[in-house]
Amino acid sequence: MPQAYVLGLGQSGISAAKLLKADGWQVTISDSNASPSLEQRKLDLEAEGIAVELGGFPDFENLIKTSQPVDLVAVSPGVPWDRPEVEQARSLGLDTIGEIELAWRYLKHIPWVGITGTNGKTTVTSLTAAIFQAAGLKAIACGNIGLPACEIALQVLHQQIQPDWIIAELSSYQIESSQSVKPKIGIWTTFTPDHLNRHYTLENYRDIKAKLIDPSSHIVLNGNDPFLLDFGAAMWPKAIWTGIDDQVVEAIADGACIHDGWVKFRGEPVFPISHWHLLGSHNRQNLLMSVAAAKLAGIGSEHIDRAISEFQGVPHRLEHIRFYEGIAFINDSKATNYDAAEVGLRAVKPPVVLIAGGQPKQGEASAWLEQIRQRAIAVLLIGEAAPLFAEMLKDAGFKNYEIVETLERAVKQAAHIAHTRAHNHPSQPLPTVLFSPACASFDQFANFEQRGDRFRQLCQELS
Protein backbone atom coordinates (compact mmCIF):
# COMPACT_ATOMS: atom_id res chain seq x y z
CA MET A 1 0.00 0.00 0.00
CA PRO A 2 1.60 3.33 -1.05
CA GLN A 3 2.26 5.94 1.65
CA ALA A 4 1.12 9.55 1.33
CA TYR A 5 1.83 12.47 3.62
CA VAL A 6 -0.60 15.40 3.62
CA LEU A 7 0.56 18.73 5.07
CA GLY A 8 -2.07 21.00 6.56
CA LEU A 9 -5.19 20.05 8.51
CA GLY A 10 -7.58 22.57 6.97
CA GLN A 11 -10.54 21.74 4.76
CA SER A 12 -8.40 21.19 1.66
CA GLY A 13 -5.91 18.97 3.46
CA ILE A 14 -8.64 16.84 5.02
CA SER A 15 -10.30 16.40 1.62
CA ALA A 16 -6.97 15.37 0.09
CA ALA A 17 -6.37 12.84 2.88
CA LYS A 18 -9.84 11.33 2.49
CA LEU A 19 -9.45 11.10 -1.28
CA LEU A 20 -6.13 9.27 -1.02
CA LYS A 21 -7.44 6.95 1.70
CA ALA A 22 -10.47 6.06 -0.47
CA ASP A 23 -8.12 5.27 -3.34
CA GLY A 24 -6.10 2.75 -1.34
CA TRP A 25 -3.29 4.87 0.09
CA GLN A 26 -1.86 4.72 3.60
CA VAL A 27 -2.25 8.35 4.72
CA THR A 28 -0.62 10.47 7.41
CA ILE A 29 -1.82 14.07 7.72
CA SER A 30 0.04 16.61 9.84
CA ASP A 31 -0.24 20.22 10.93
CA SER A 32 2.35 22.57 12.41
CA ASN A 33 -0.17 23.77 15.00
CA ALA A 34 -1.96 22.08 17.87
CA SER A 35 -5.27 23.28 19.27
CA PRO A 36 -8.49 21.84 20.72
CA SER A 37 -10.25 22.13 17.35
CA LEU A 38 -7.37 20.31 15.63
CA GLU A 39 -7.45 17.63 18.34
CA GLN A 40 -11.11 17.02 17.51
CA ARG A 41 -10.29 16.75 13.79
CA LYS A 42 -7.54 14.30 14.73
CA LEU A 43 -10.02 12.05 16.55
CA ASP A 44 -12.47 12.18 13.64
CA LEU A 45 -9.81 11.30 11.05
CA GLU A 46 -8.21 8.54 13.12
CA ALA A 47 -11.65 6.93 13.33
CA GLU A 48 -11.50 6.76 9.51
CA GLY A 49 -8.07 5.09 9.54
CA ILE A 50 -6.03 8.20 8.75
CA ALA A 51 -2.98 8.86 10.94
CA VAL A 52 -2.71 12.42 12.31
CA GLU A 53 0.34 14.25 13.71
CA LEU A 54 -0.04 17.69 15.32
CA GLY A 55 2.57 20.28 16.31
CA GLY A 56 4.94 19.82 13.37
CA PHE A 57 5.53 18.42 9.90
CA PRO A 58 7.49 15.23 9.09
CA ASP A 59 11.25 15.19 8.66
CA PHE A 60 11.33 13.59 5.23
CA GLU A 61 15.08 13.17 5.13
CA ASN A 62 14.91 11.13 8.34
CA LEU A 63 12.01 9.05 6.98
CA ILE A 64 14.05 8.19 3.89
CA LYS A 65 17.15 7.39 5.96
CA THR A 66 15.14 4.99 8.10
CA SER A 67 13.75 3.33 4.94
CA GLN A 68 10.19 4.45 5.55
CA PRO A 69 8.24 4.83 2.31
CA VAL A 70 7.23 8.32 1.12
CA ASP A 71 5.41 7.92 -2.19
CA LEU A 72 3.56 11.25 -2.21
CA VAL A 73 3.60 14.57 -0.34
CA ALA A 74 0.39 16.59 -0.81
CA VAL A 75 0.55 20.20 0.39
CA SER A 76 -2.49 22.27 1.41
CA PRO A 77 -2.76 25.80 -0.06
CA GLY A 78 -2.28 27.35 3.39
CA VAL A 79 1.17 25.77 3.77
CA PRO A 80 3.81 27.95 2.03
CA TRP A 81 5.49 26.27 -0.93
CA ASP A 82 8.88 27.49 0.34
CA ARG A 83 8.40 26.19 3.88
CA PRO A 84 11.55 24.21 4.86
CA GLU A 85 9.78 20.83 5.10
CA VAL A 86 8.21 21.31 1.67
CA GLU A 87 11.49 22.42 0.11
CA GLN A 88 13.17 19.42 1.75
CA ALA A 89 10.65 17.03 0.21
CA ARG A 90 11.14 18.58 -3.23
CA SER A 91 14.94 18.55 -2.95
CA LEU A 92 14.81 14.84 -2.09
CA GLY A 93 12.99 14.21 -5.36
CA LEU A 94 9.77 13.16 -3.64
CA ASP A 95 6.52 13.51 -5.58
CA THR A 96 5.48 16.80 -3.92
CA ILE A 97 2.27 18.41 -5.16
CA GLY A 98 -0.48 20.77 -4.10
CA GLU A 99 -4.06 19.83 -3.32
CA ILE A 100 -5.28 21.16 -6.70
CA GLU A 101 -2.70 19.10 -8.57
CA LEU A 102 -3.89 16.03 -6.67
CA ALA A 103 -7.50 16.75 -7.61
CA TRP A 104 -6.45 17.27 -11.26
CA ARG A 105 -4.96 13.75 -11.35
CA TYR A 106 -8.44 12.39 -10.61
CA LEU A 107 -10.46 14.91 -12.63
CA LYS A 108 -8.40 15.61 -15.75
CA HIS A 109 -10.80 13.59 -17.93
CA ILE A 110 -13.36 16.37 -17.28
CA PRO A 111 -12.92 19.77 -18.98
CA TRP A 112 -11.99 22.59 -16.60
CA VAL A 113 -12.56 26.32 -16.65
CA GLY A 114 -9.66 27.63 -14.56
CA ILE A 115 -10.18 31.14 -13.21
CA THR A 116 -7.53 33.26 -11.53
CA GLY A 117 -6.78 36.93 -10.89
CA THR A 118 -6.20 39.32 -8.02
CA ASN A 119 -9.85 40.41 -7.88
CA GLY A 120 -13.04 39.23 -9.58
CA LYS A 121 -12.33 35.48 -9.37
CA THR A 122 -15.27 34.54 -7.19
CA THR A 123 -17.89 36.48 -9.16
CA VAL A 124 -16.62 35.11 -12.49
CA THR A 125 -16.53 31.56 -11.09
CA SER A 126 -20.03 31.79 -9.63
CA LEU A 127 -21.51 33.40 -12.74
CA THR A 128 -19.77 30.98 -15.13
CA ALA A 129 -21.09 28.01 -13.15
CA ALA A 130 -24.60 29.53 -13.14
CA ILE A 131 -24.55 29.97 -16.94
CA PHE A 132 -23.29 26.43 -17.57
CA GLN A 133 -25.94 25.06 -15.20
CA ALA A 134 -28.68 27.08 -16.92
CA ALA A 135 -27.69 25.30 -20.13
CA GLY A 136 -28.36 21.93 -18.46
CA LEU A 137 -24.71 21.09 -17.84
CA LYS A 138 -23.49 19.55 -14.59
CA ALA A 139 -20.95 22.25 -13.81
CA ILE A 140 -19.43 22.34 -10.32
CA ALA A 141 -17.72 25.39 -8.84
CA CYS A 142 -14.86 24.44 -6.53
CA GLY A 143 -11.31 25.25 -5.46
CA ASN A 144 -11.06 28.61 -3.75
CA ILE A 145 -14.88 28.73 -3.66
CA GLY A 146 -17.35 26.17 -2.34
CA LEU A 147 -15.98 22.67 -1.83
CA PRO A 148 -12.28 21.79 -2.14
CA ALA A 149 -11.45 20.25 -5.51
CA CYS A 150 -10.36 17.02 -3.76
CA GLU A 151 -13.86 16.70 -2.28
CA ILE A 152 -15.27 16.80 -5.83
CA ALA A 153 -12.66 14.23 -6.88
CA LEU A 154 -13.72 11.98 -3.99
CA GLN A 155 -17.37 12.16 -5.07
CA VAL A 156 -16.37 11.34 -8.65
CA LEU A 157 -14.22 8.44 -7.40
CA HIS A 158 -17.25 7.08 -5.52
CA GLN A 159 -19.38 7.65 -8.66
CA GLN A 160 -21.72 9.91 -6.66
CA ILE A 161 -21.51 12.64 -9.31
CA GLN A 162 -20.51 12.85 -12.97
CA PRO A 163 -19.70 16.48 -13.77
CA ASP A 164 -19.67 17.80 -17.35
CA TRP A 165 -17.39 20.70 -16.35
CA ILE A 166 -15.25 21.73 -13.40
CA ILE A 167 -15.38 25.51 -12.81
CA ALA A 168 -12.33 26.09 -10.61
CA GLU A 169 -11.47 29.33 -8.84
CA LEU A 170 -7.72 29.09 -8.28
CA SER A 171 -5.64 31.36 -6.07
CA SER A 172 -1.92 31.91 -6.48
CA TYR A 173 -1.38 29.65 -3.45
CA GLN A 174 -3.14 26.82 -5.29
CA ILE A 175 -1.51 27.41 -8.69
CA GLU A 176 1.99 27.64 -7.21
CA SER A 177 1.95 23.98 -6.22
CA SER A 178 0.22 22.70 -9.38
CA GLN A 179 2.52 21.27 -12.05
CA SER A 180 0.27 19.88 -14.78
CA VAL A 181 -3.18 21.48 -14.47
CA LYS A 182 -4.33 22.31 -18.00
CA PRO A 183 -7.76 23.96 -18.23
CA LYS A 184 -9.85 23.79 -21.37
CA ILE A 185 -10.58 27.48 -20.76
CA GLY A 186 -8.28 29.70 -18.68
CA ILE A 187 -9.50 33.10 -17.46
CA TRP A 188 -7.32 35.85 -15.93
CA THR A 189 -9.57 38.51 -14.38
CA THR A 190 -7.27 41.24 -13.01
CA PHE A 191 -3.71 41.74 -11.82
CA THR A 192 -2.48 44.09 -9.08
CA PRO A 193 -0.02 43.62 -6.20
CA ASP A 194 -1.27 41.17 -3.55
CA HIS A 195 0.05 38.32 -1.38
CA LEU A 196 3.59 39.75 -1.58
CA ASN A 197 4.22 38.57 1.98
CA ARG A 198 4.02 35.04 0.52
CA HIS A 199 5.32 35.50 -3.04
CA TYR A 200 7.85 38.29 -2.26
CA THR A 201 7.97 39.98 -5.68
CA LEU A 202 5.35 41.17 -8.15
CA GLU A 203 7.14 39.22 -10.90
CA ASN A 204 6.91 35.98 -8.97
CA TYR A 205 3.20 36.58 -8.27
CA ARG A 206 2.63 37.31 -11.97
CA ASP A 207 4.50 34.22 -13.13
CA ILE A 208 2.48 31.98 -10.79
CA LYS A 209 -0.78 33.31 -12.25
CA ALA A 210 0.56 32.87 -15.79
CA LYS A 211 1.39 29.22 -15.03
CA LEU A 212 -2.35 28.43 -15.04
CA ILE A 213 -3.15 30.47 -18.16
CA ASP A 214 -0.26 29.42 -20.39
CA PRO A 215 -1.25 25.75 -20.95
CA SER A 216 -4.99 26.50 -21.32
CA SER A 217 -6.57 25.50 -24.64
CA HIS A 218 -8.54 28.79 -24.77
CA ILE A 219 -7.39 31.93 -22.97
CA VAL A 220 -9.75 34.74 -21.88
CA LEU A 221 -8.21 38.03 -20.70
CA ASN A 222 -9.75 41.20 -19.29
CA GLY A 223 -8.86 43.98 -21.72
CA ASN A 224 -9.90 46.64 -19.21
CA ASP A 225 -7.04 45.64 -16.90
CA PRO A 226 -4.01 47.77 -17.91
CA PHE A 227 -1.45 45.18 -16.86
CA LEU A 228 -3.15 42.30 -18.66
CA LEU A 229 -3.63 44.36 -21.83
CA ASP A 230 0.11 44.98 -21.94
CA PHE A 231 1.47 41.68 -20.60
CA GLY A 232 -1.15 39.38 -22.11
CA ALA A 233 -0.91 40.76 -25.63
CA ALA A 234 2.79 39.91 -25.72
CA MET A 235 2.39 36.51 -24.06
CA TRP A 236 -0.74 35.14 -25.74
CA PRO A 237 -1.42 36.59 -29.20
CA LYS A 238 -4.38 34.20 -29.72
CA ALA A 239 -6.17 35.15 -26.48
CA ILE A 240 -9.85 36.11 -26.42
CA TRP A 241 -10.20 39.65 -25.06
CA THR A 242 -13.08 41.31 -23.23
CA GLY A 243 -13.81 45.03 -23.09
CA ILE A 244 -16.63 47.11 -21.62
CA ASP A 245 -15.85 50.08 -23.86
CA ASP A 246 -14.65 50.78 -27.40
CA GLN A 247 -11.02 51.13 -26.24
CA VAL A 248 -10.31 47.39 -26.45
CA VAL A 249 -10.31 46.88 -30.22
CA GLU A 250 -9.52 43.16 -29.94
CA ALA A 251 -12.69 42.60 -27.87
CA ILE A 252 -14.91 44.19 -30.52
CA ALA A 253 -13.38 42.21 -33.37
CA ASP A 254 -12.92 38.77 -31.84
CA GLY A 255 -13.97 38.80 -28.19
CA ALA A 256 -16.72 39.82 -25.78
CA CYS A 257 -17.75 43.48 -25.62
CA ILE A 258 -20.60 45.86 -24.84
CA HIS A 259 -21.67 47.81 -27.93
CA ASP A 260 -24.86 49.69 -28.82
CA GLY A 261 -26.55 48.47 -25.62
CA TRP A 262 -25.81 44.80 -26.31
CA VAL A 263 -23.33 42.26 -25.02
CA LYS A 264 -21.71 40.80 -28.11
CA PHE A 265 -19.36 37.90 -28.74
CA ARG A 266 -17.31 37.94 -31.93
CA GLY A 267 -19.65 40.60 -33.27
CA GLU A 268 -22.86 38.64 -32.65
CA PRO A 269 -25.45 39.99 -30.14
CA VAL A 270 -25.94 37.79 -27.07
CA PHE A 271 -28.33 39.79 -24.83
CA PRO A 272 -29.14 43.43 -23.95
CA ILE A 273 -26.86 44.82 -21.23
CA SER A 274 -30.02 46.11 -19.50
CA HIS A 275 -30.67 42.50 -18.39
CA TRP A 276 -27.58 42.67 -16.11
CA HIS A 277 -28.28 44.06 -12.62
CA LEU A 278 -25.02 44.04 -10.63
CA LEU A 279 -23.38 47.32 -9.59
CA GLY A 280 -20.13 48.66 -11.00
CA SER A 281 -18.02 48.63 -14.14
CA HIS A 282 -15.90 45.86 -12.59
CA ASN A 283 -18.96 43.60 -12.62
CA ARG A 284 -19.48 44.32 -16.31
CA GLN A 285 -15.90 43.15 -16.82
CA ASN A 286 -16.69 39.99 -14.83
CA LEU A 287 -19.83 39.46 -16.91
CA LEU A 288 -17.97 39.58 -20.22
CA MET A 289 -15.37 37.03 -19.11
CA SER A 290 -18.12 34.59 -18.11
CA VAL A 291 -19.94 35.18 -21.40
CA ALA A 292 -16.74 34.49 -23.33
CA ALA A 293 -16.21 31.21 -21.43
CA ALA A 294 -19.81 30.16 -22.07
CA LYS A 295 -19.58 30.90 -25.78
CA LEU A 296 -16.27 29.03 -26.06
CA ALA A 297 -18.03 26.06 -24.43
CA GLY A 298 -20.77 26.23 -27.08
CA ILE A 299 -23.58 27.49 -24.84
CA GLY A 300 -26.52 29.21 -26.54
CA SER A 301 -27.36 32.88 -26.00
CA GLU A 302 -30.79 32.13 -24.52
CA HIS A 303 -29.23 30.15 -21.65
CA ILE A 304 -26.67 32.89 -21.01
CA ASP A 305 -29.40 35.56 -21.02
CA ARG A 306 -31.52 33.66 -18.50
CA ALA A 307 -28.62 32.97 -16.14
CA ILE A 308 -27.25 36.52 -16.09
CA SER A 309 -30.73 37.99 -15.62
CA GLU A 310 -31.25 35.90 -12.48
CA PHE A 311 -27.73 36.23 -11.05
CA GLN A 312 -27.68 38.01 -7.68
CA GLY A 313 -23.93 38.26 -7.15
CA VAL A 314 -21.85 36.56 -4.45
CA PRO A 315 -21.98 36.99 -0.67
CA HIS A 316 -19.52 39.48 0.84
CA ARG A 317 -18.87 41.28 -2.48
CA LEU A 318 -20.93 44.49 -2.59
CA GLU A 319 -23.75 42.54 -0.95
CA HIS A 320 -26.72 44.71 -0.06
CA ILE A 321 -27.69 43.80 3.52
CA ARG A 322 -30.59 46.10 4.31
CA PHE A 323 -32.02 49.59 4.40
CA TYR A 324 -32.06 51.08 7.89
CA GLU A 325 -33.99 54.35 8.09
CA GLY A 326 -33.54 54.60 4.34
CA ILE A 327 -29.74 54.16 4.53
CA ALA A 328 -28.19 51.27 2.56
CA PHE A 329 -25.74 48.97 4.37
CA ILE A 330 -23.36 47.16 1.98
CA ASN A 331 -21.13 44.19 2.87
CA ASP A 332 -17.89 44.14 0.88
CA SER A 333 -15.88 41.97 3.28
CA LYS A 334 -14.28 40.20 0.31
CA ALA A 335 -12.36 43.41 -0.49
CA THR A 336 -9.15 42.22 1.15
CA ASN A 337 -6.79 44.61 -0.66
CA TYR A 338 -6.65 48.27 -1.73
CA ASP A 339 -7.66 47.63 -5.33
CA ALA A 340 -10.79 45.66 -4.44
CA ALA A 341 -11.74 48.29 -1.86
CA GLU A 342 -11.26 51.07 -4.41
CA VAL A 343 -13.59 49.23 -6.81
CA GLY A 344 -16.15 48.93 -4.02
CA LEU A 345 -16.04 52.66 -3.31
CA ARG A 346 -16.52 53.46 -6.99
CA ALA A 347 -19.50 51.10 -7.26
CA VAL A 348 -21.76 52.47 -4.49
CA LYS A 349 -23.67 55.74 -4.38
CA PRO A 350 -21.96 58.53 -2.45
CA PRO A 351 -21.76 59.99 0.11
CA VAL A 352 -20.19 57.00 1.85
CA VAL A 353 -19.58 56.17 5.49
CA LEU A 354 -16.72 53.70 5.12
CA ILE A 355 -15.69 50.99 7.58
CA ALA A 356 -12.15 49.76 6.84
CA GLY A 357 -9.32 47.88 8.51
CA GLY A 358 -8.16 44.45 9.54
CA GLN A 359 -4.80 42.81 8.98
CA PRO A 360 -2.93 45.14 6.60
CA LYS A 361 -1.33 44.00 3.36
CA GLN A 362 1.42 45.43 1.19
CA GLY A 363 0.19 47.31 -1.86
CA GLU A 364 -0.30 50.66 -3.54
CA ALA A 365 -3.01 52.62 -1.71
CA SER A 366 -3.05 55.95 -3.56
CA ALA A 367 -6.07 55.23 -5.81
CA TRP A 368 -8.05 53.92 -2.81
CA LEU A 369 -7.20 57.03 -0.79
CA GLU A 370 -8.25 59.26 -3.68
CA GLN A 371 -11.66 57.55 -3.86
CA ILE A 372 -12.06 58.10 -0.10
CA ARG A 373 -11.31 61.79 -0.54
CA GLN A 374 -13.84 62.04 -3.37
CA ARG A 375 -16.69 59.91 -2.03
CA ALA A 376 -16.47 59.39 1.75
CA ILE A 377 -17.85 61.67 4.46
CA ALA A 378 -16.39 59.56 7.30
CA VAL A 379 -14.08 56.57 7.73
CA LEU A 380 -14.27 54.26 10.74
CA LEU A 381 -11.15 52.18 11.33
CA ILE A 382 -10.99 48.73 12.91
CA GLY A 383 -8.40 46.06 13.63
CA GLU A 384 -4.65 45.93 13.40
CA ALA A 385 -4.50 48.34 10.44
CA ALA A 386 -6.37 51.16 12.20
CA PRO A 387 -3.32 53.24 13.29
CA LEU A 388 -1.64 52.75 9.90
CA PHE A 389 -4.76 53.75 7.98
CA ALA A 390 -5.28 56.77 10.27
CA GLU A 391 -1.78 57.97 9.41
CA MET A 392 -2.37 57.35 5.68
CA LEU A 393 -5.66 59.28 5.72
CA LYS A 394 -4.07 62.15 7.65
CA ASP A 395 -1.22 62.34 5.13
CA ALA A 396 -3.76 62.33 2.29
CA GLY A 397 -5.55 65.33 3.80
CA PHE A 398 -8.65 63.42 4.91
CA LYS A 399 -9.53 64.44 8.46
CA ASN A 400 -12.88 62.82 9.22
CA TYR A 401 -11.68 59.43 10.44
CA GLU A 402 -12.01 57.68 13.77
CA ILE A 403 -10.36 54.59 15.25
CA VAL A 404 -13.18 52.46 16.70
CA GLU A 405 -11.22 49.18 16.85
CA THR A 406 -14.08 46.67 16.56
CA LEU A 407 -16.72 45.93 13.95
CA GLU A 408 -19.41 46.11 16.64
CA ARG A 409 -18.55 49.73 17.47
CA ALA A 410 -18.07 50.55 13.80
CA VAL A 411 -21.57 49.50 12.74
CA LYS A 412 -23.23 51.46 15.57
CA GLN A 413 -21.15 54.55 14.87
CA ALA A 414 -21.70 54.32 11.11
CA ALA A 415 -25.47 54.18 11.62
CA HIS A 416 -25.27 57.21 13.91
CA ILE A 417 -23.14 59.24 11.47
CA ALA A 418 -25.35 58.35 8.51
CA HIS A 419 -28.56 59.14 10.43
CA THR A 420 -27.18 62.50 11.62
CA ARG A 421 -26.08 63.39 8.11
CA ALA A 422 -29.50 62.53 6.69
CA HIS A 423 -31.24 64.58 9.39
CA ASN A 424 -28.99 67.64 8.99
CA HIS A 425 -28.98 67.60 5.17
CA PRO A 426 -32.48 66.44 4.17
CA SER A 427 -32.20 67.78 0.60
CA GLN A 428 -29.01 65.81 -0.15
CA PRO A 429 -28.71 62.10 -1.11
CA LEU A 430 -28.86 59.64 1.77
CA PRO A 431 -25.48 58.21 2.79
CA THR A 432 -24.39 54.63 2.08
CA VAL A 433 -22.66 52.60 4.81
CA LEU A 434 -19.98 50.49 3.14
CA PHE A 435 -17.91 47.83 4.91
CA SER A 436 -14.95 47.40 2.56
CA PRO A 437 -11.92 46.55 4.70
CA ALA A 438 -8.99 46.73 2.21
CA CYS A 439 -7.36 44.18 4.55
CA ALA A 440 -7.13 40.52 5.37
CA SER A 441 -9.35 39.34 8.22
CA PHE A 442 -6.98 37.23 10.27
CA ASP A 443 -6.37 39.75 13.08
CA GLN A 444 -9.95 39.42 14.36
CA PHE A 445 -11.69 36.72 12.27
CA ALA A 446 -10.99 33.27 10.83
CA ASN A 447 -11.64 34.46 7.25
CA PHE A 448 -13.43 37.16 5.26
CA GLU A 449 -16.64 35.09 5.21
CA GLN A 450 -16.87 35.02 9.00
CA ARG A 451 -16.11 38.75 9.06
CA GLY A 452 -18.84 39.48 6.51
CA ASP A 453 -21.32 37.27 8.34
CA ARG A 454 -20.66 39.21 11.54
CA PHE A 455 -21.21 42.53 9.72
CA ARG A 456 -24.48 41.21 8.28
CA GLN A 457 -25.64 40.11 11.74
CA LEU A 458 -24.76 43.49 13.29
CA CYS A 459 -26.63 45.35 10.55
CA GLN A 460 -29.70 43.19 10.97
CA GLU A 461 -29.67 43.82 14.72
CA LEU A 462 -29.87 47.61 14.28
CA SER A 463 -33.15 48.99 15.59
Side-chain angles (χ1 to χ4, degrees):
M1 187 180 288
Q3 172 71 50
Y5 286 86
V6 178
L7 309 187
L9 202 56
Q11 197 176 5
S12 295
I14 290 170
S15 295
K18 289 182 176 181
L19 172 62
L20 289 163
K21 179 68 177 176
D23 198 32
W25 290 71
Q26 190 78 31
V27 181
T28 300
I29 185 169
S30 57
D31 199 282
S32 58
N33 297 312
S35 68
S37 63
L38 290 178
E39 288 287 352
Q40 183 57 53
R41 290 180 204 175
K42 176 180 179 180
L43 292 174
D44 294 342
L45 288 166
E46 286 177 341
E48 297 183 41
I50 296 170
V52 181
E53 297 173 354
L54 299 179
F57 291 131
D59 181 338
F60 292 109
E61 190 167 11
N62 188 54
L63 289 172
I64 299 298
K65 280 181 180 175
T66 55
S67 301
Q68 296 183 59
V70 182
D71 301 296
L72 179 70
V73 179
V75 184
S76 299
V79 177
W81 196 234
D82 62 353
R83 190 181 165 100
E85 295 92 339
V86 179
E87 289 202 321
Q88 181 193 59
R90 290 154 62 197
S91 69
L92 289 166
L94 301 175
D95 187 11
T96 307
I97 63 173
E99 176 256 346
I100 291 294
E101 176 71 19
L102 177 62
W104 171 258
R105 292 184 179 183
Y106 289 85
L107 298 172
K108 60 186 175 185
H109 61 287
I110 302 166
W112 284 40
V113 180
I115 300 160
T116 196
T118 309
N119 298 308
K121 296 187 296 292
T122 302
T123 300
V124 173
T125 303
S126 300
L127 179 57
T128 301
I131 294 171
F132 280 49
Q133 289 162 8
L137 295 167
K138 290 179 183 172
I140 298 179
C142 65
N144 207 40
I145 183 177
L147 292 172
C150 279
E151 174 62 31
I152 305 304
L154 179 61
Q155 292 180 27
V156 170
L157 183 69
H158 286 319
Q159 299 183 332
Q160 295 169 334
I161 55 171
Q162 293 180 304
D164 298 309
W165 283 84
I166 299 294
I167 316 294
E169 177 188 331
L170 299 173
S171 71
S172 55
Y173 294 5
Q174 292 166 315
I175 300 166
E176 183 177 33
S177 56
S178 300
Q179 291 88 342
S180 65
V181 175
K182 185 181 178 183
K184 183 83 169 175
I185 301 169
I187 302 176
W188 193 341
T189 59
T190 55
F191 184 79
T192 51
D194 199 10
H195 303 305
L196 299 186
N197 58 333
R198 167 113 167 213
H199 302 311
Y200 307 117
T201 69
L202 192 62
E203 292 73 24
N204 194 33
Y205 178 48
R206 175 202 67 198
D207 291 346
I208 289 167
K209 295 286 192 189
K211 194 167 87 164
L212 175 77
I213 301 302
D214 199 50
S216 299
S217 303
H218 300 283
I219 294 170
V220 177
L221 302 175
N222 179 5
N224 292 111
D225 184 277
F227 173 84
L228 292 180
L229 192 57
D230 180 42
F231 176 72
M235 284 285 290
W236 302 294
K238 293 184 179 179
I240 302 293
W241 291 92
T242 65
I244 62 171
D245 48 42
D246 293 342
Q247 305 301 311
V248 188
V249 177
E250 299 88 346
I252 297 169
D254 190 44
C257 68
I258 302 169
H259 192 66
D260 293 335
W262 282 78
V263 169
K264 297 183 177 181
F265 184 74
R266 291 178 168 163
E268 294 295 318
V270 184
F271 57 85
I273 188 60
S274 60
H275 290 186
W276 176 245
H277 306 300
L278 266 60
L279 294 170
S281 62
H282 68 290
N283 272 324
R284 289 189 168 199
Q285 296 171 28
N286 295 335
L287 169 68
L288 292 181
M289 288 179 276
S290 293
V291 169
K295 280 294 180 182
L296 289 168
I299 293 172
S301 297
E302 68 279 10
H303 300 304
I304 300 173
D305 190 6
R306 186 170 88 252
I308 68 96
S309 299
E310 296 172 355
F311 188 68
Q312 298 295 309
V314 297
H316 313 296
R317 188 63 177 130
L318 291 171
E319 175 191 9
H320 183 275
I321 301 297
R322 67 174 291 193
F323 285 107
Y324 174 62
E325 297 179 348
I327 294 157
F329 283 72
I330 308 291
N331 172 22
D332 199 30
S333 179
K334 201 173 190 310
T336 59
N337 56 50
Y338 297 122
D339 297 282
E342 181 211 344
V343 165
L345 273 165
R346 286 180 183 273
V348 301
K349 290 179 180 177
V352 176
V353 178
L354 175 66
I355 302 171
Q359 187 179 72
K361 289 183 174 182
Q362 296 178 46
E364 173 52 59
S366 57
W368 175 64
L369 291 167
E370 182 57 32
Q371 285 302 307
I372 290 174
R373 286 177 53 180
Q374 289 183 23
R375 304 172 75 88
I377 54 172
V379 179
L380 301 171
L381 300 172
I382 65 171
E384 190 182 306
L388 171 67
F389 282 7
E391 193 68 28
M392 289 164 62
L393 289 165
K394 182 180 175 184
D395 291 346
F398 187 91
K399 296 185 175 65
N400 199 13
Y401 61 84
E402 181 183 351
I403 295 176
V404 295
E405 295 181 345
T406 68
L407 195 51
E408 288 76 9
R409 285 201 283 269
V411 170
K412 286 182 182 175
Q413 182 68 351
H416 173 71
I417 291 169
H419 175 78
T420 303
R421 166 80 178 202
H423 183 264
N424 292 342
H425 301 87
S427 63
Q428 294 187 11
L430 287 169
T432 301
V433 174
L434 173 65
F435 176 42
S436 190
C439 283
S441 58
F442 307 121
D443 58 333
Q444 294 178 317
F445 299 93
N447 47 51
F448 74 80
E449 293 96 339
Q450 186 191 76
R451 176 172 67 182
D453 289 342
R454 181 62 178 147
F455 176 74
R456 188 189 299 110
Q457 179 188 5
L458 291 167
C459 292
Q460 289 165 346
E461 289 172 357
L462 286 170
S463 60

